Amino acid sequence: MDADAVLRNCAYLVTAAPAEVLPLLGQARSREARLAAAVYRATLWQHRDASAEVRRQVLSLDAARLGDRECVRFGADHGGGAGLGD
């Protein structure tokens, strides 16, 4: 599994079980994948018990705060707002 490709898939980060994502975070190599890992780690403690909708909102805020424009743009395309689920 190519961790960089998986971590750059914003839909995967929103819908995957955190237990599936966690092992990939330390495998990020590209700048974009490291940024996605940082976004996910920012509020990692909230992801475990969150629904995909809540995770989408939390990741949206983290992506905007950390400058991950691609994941913010994903939310605009798939959530109707300016973030991953606005």
Side-chain angles (χ1 to χ4, degrees):
M1 177 183 300
D2 178 10
D4 280 15
V6 172
L7 290 170
R8 291 311 306 151
N9 182 337
C10 299
Y12 176 80
L13 295 180
V14 167
T15 60
E20 294 175 23
V21 178
L22 189 58
L24 301 174
L25 299 178
Q27 297 176 31
R29 298 293 170 244
S30 71
R31 179 191 164 301
E32 294 83 6
R34 288 192 315 268
L35 178 56
V39 166
Y40 201 87
R41 282 186 183 112
T43 48
L44 182 62
W45 56 275
Q46 291 184 338
H47 301 311
R48 187 182 56 155
D49 297 323
S51 67
E53 180 61 29
V54 170
R55 196 175 304 124
R56 183 183 325 267
Q57 293 171 354
V58 169
L59 289 171
S60 174
L61 292 172
D62 293 335
R65 190 168 45 93
L66 294 174
D68 189 340
R69 293 183 185 127
E70 185 173 327
C71 277
V72 171
R73 193 169 23 252
F74 166 83
D77 293 343
H78 294 91
L84 283 171
D86 291 347

